[in-house]
Amino acid sequence: MDALSTAAAPATAALLEDFSLEMTGKDVPRLEEARDRIPAGTRINITFLGNEDLDTRLAAARAVRRLGYTPVPHISARRLRSRSELEELLAALRSDGTADNVLVIGGDPATPHGPYDDALALIRSGLLQSYGVRHVGIGGYPEGHPAITGPALWSAIEYKTAALARRGLSGDVITQFGFDADPVLAWVEALRKRGIDAPVRVGVPGPAGIKRLMTYAARFGVGTSTSIAKKYGFSLTNLMGTAGPDRFIRALADGYDTRRHGVLKLHFYTFGGIGATSRWLADFRTGAGN
């Protein structure tokens, strides 16, 4: 199936509706350059990096809003040093009109810098809705997590979705990226069987250098066997080229059944830059990718 017919396929079109992107606080100039290729209203997630300060994150959220997109600031639980630091962030987001949507994650530090051990602690604090948050994204890990067992991951996502519902907050699940659609679809089906019907945004690596993709995969415990790499479209013996998610998205669309998987969307991790990802998306959506 060529790019044009694939892009026109109903399942692929459904996946590509309302896709979301990810950026860092320092990516504002790249986002401005790409604005003609990104649909208005697109959800843009803003990471919570340890080497970026509050002002950088807030400025990025304001820029996303100014450019006509929906800012989704990340809040990293274990990076927060105090309740007052969380309140300062939320108050600033509310003042800027960028507090409606957030994503809460545990974050990288093995030991919390303050009182919040994980994303659930942020939800249970009651502060999110107090400062105007209405929609909360949470993480999902179809291939597991290098530091958390499978049963603990399932318990966590069940507790978080229940806690959001009790507080009247809507939510969605954004998954870790991967190179194989099969475990993603199996995980989503298992999620639905557990009674969790929140929309799932499947993590997709935007086009990037293969070596860079391998680095991120190793960091996050993503499978990269020879067979998986071949299925995705690259070789582990040649890391000098680049790879895009064409085959992954087609495979996801082929296996997508709304009766078993519910609402699925795509979330692009812009490892190769937001410009490269937006160009790839524009080509793929119009069928000009090949």
Side-chain angles (χ1 to χ4, degrees), residues 57-119:
R57 299 180 192 118
L58 294 174
R62 289 194 298 268
V64 169
R65 183 172 181 264
R66 171 176 56 81
L67 291 170
Y69 305 122
T70 301
V72 185
H74 290 195
I75 304 178
S76 177
R78 288 190 287 273
R79 290 194 184 280
L80 294 168
R81 292 176 174 79
S82 64
R83 178 185 173 97
S84 62
E85 184 177 356
L86 173 58
E87 291 202 72
E88 180 185 8
L89 168 61
L90 292 172
L93 292 173
R94 182 176 63 182
S95 178
D96 290 342
T98 57
D100 285 356
N101 300 268
V102 301
L103 181 137
V104 293
I105 54 172
D108 291 336
T111 302
H113 295 171
Y116 303 109
D117 291 338
D118 51 29

Side-chain angles (χ1 to χ4, degrees), residues 247-280:
R247 294 186 184 183
F248 176 87
I249 293 175
R250 289 169 181 156
L252 193 70
D254 286 343
Y256 179 26
D257 181 345
T258 56
R259 295 168 297 180
R260 292 185 290 125
H261 302 118
V263 178
L264 295 188
K265 304 291 182 183
L266 301 181
H267 176 74
F268 288 88
Y269 293 94
T270 55
F271 298 138
I274 202 164
T277 299
S278 63
R279 283 191 294 273
W280 181 92

Side-chain angles (χ1 to χ4, degrees), residues 41 44 49 51 57 60 66 71 88 97 137 157 211 216 233-234 255 281:
I44 309 287
L49 299 179
N51 61 358
R57 299 180 192 118
R66 171 176 56 81
E88 180 185 8
I157 200 166
K211 189 174 182 180
Y216 281 108
F234 63 88
L281 266 165

Side-chain angles (χ1 to χ4, degrees), residues 40-271:
T42 297
R43 299 171 69 84
I44 309 287
N45 286 31
I46 303 153
T47 57
F48 195 110
L49 299 179
N51 61 358
E52 293 182 347
D53 59 19
L54 176 62
D55 289 342
T56 301
R57 299 180 192 118
L58 294 174
R62 289 194 298 268
V64 169
R65 183 172 181 264
R66 171 176 56 81
L67 291 170
Y69 305 122
T70 301
V72 185
H74 290 195
I75 304 178
S76 177
R78 288 190 287 273
R79 290 194 184 280
L80 294 168
R81 292 176 174 79
S82 64
R83 178 185 173 97
S84 62
E85 184 177 356
L86 173 58
E87 291 202 72
E88 180 185 8
L89 168 61
L90 292 172
L93 292 173
R94 182 176 63 182
S95 178
D96 290 342
T98 57
D100 285 356
N101 300 268
V102 301
L103 181 137
V104 293
I105 54 172
D108 291 336
T111 302
H113 295 171
Y116 303 109
D117 291 338
D118 51 29
L120 181 60
L122 294 178
I123 298 170
R124 286 176 169 169
S125 73
L127 292 174
L128 299 180
Q129 64 268 34
S130 295
Y131 282 90
V133 174
R134 297 291 175 260
H135 184 92
V136 178
I138 58 176
Y141 301 89
E143 296 186 45
H145 189 288
I148 307 173
T149 65
L153 286 173
W154 281 120
S155 295
I157 200 166
E158 289 172 340
Y159 289 148
K160 284 184 282 191
T161 52
L164 290 174
R166 284 196 297 271
R167 287 159 179 79
L169 296 168
S170 64
D172 57 13
V173 179
I174 297 181
T175 76
Q176 182 56 272
F177 76 93
F179 302 119
D180 189 351
D182 291 340
V184 174
L185 292 168
W187 181 86
V188 174
E189 189 168 0
L191 185 76
R192 301 314 186 199
K193 289 179 179 178
R194 291 173 180 266
I196 298 172
D197 59 2
V200 172
R201 292 183 175 271
V202 176
V204 179
I210 296 170
K211 189 174 182 180
R212 174 173 288 189
L213 291 174
M214 292 300 94
T215 298
Y216 281 108
R219 177 181 175 186
F220 296 115
V222 173
T224 55
S225 68
T226 300
S227 61
I228 290 173
K230 183 178 180 181
K231 185 186 294 187
Y232 192 79
F234 63 88
S235 170
L236 294 179
T237 62
N238 180 12
L239 303 182
M240 300 305 293
T242 62
D246 312 53
R247 294 186 184 183
F248 176 87
I249 293 175
R250 289 169 181 156
L252 193 70
D254 286 343
Y256 179 26
D257 181 345
T258 56
R259 295 168 297 180
R260 292 185 290 125
H261 302 118
V263 178
L264 295 188
K265 304 291 182 183
L266 301 181
H267 176 74
F268 288 88
Y269 293 94
T270 55
F271 298 138

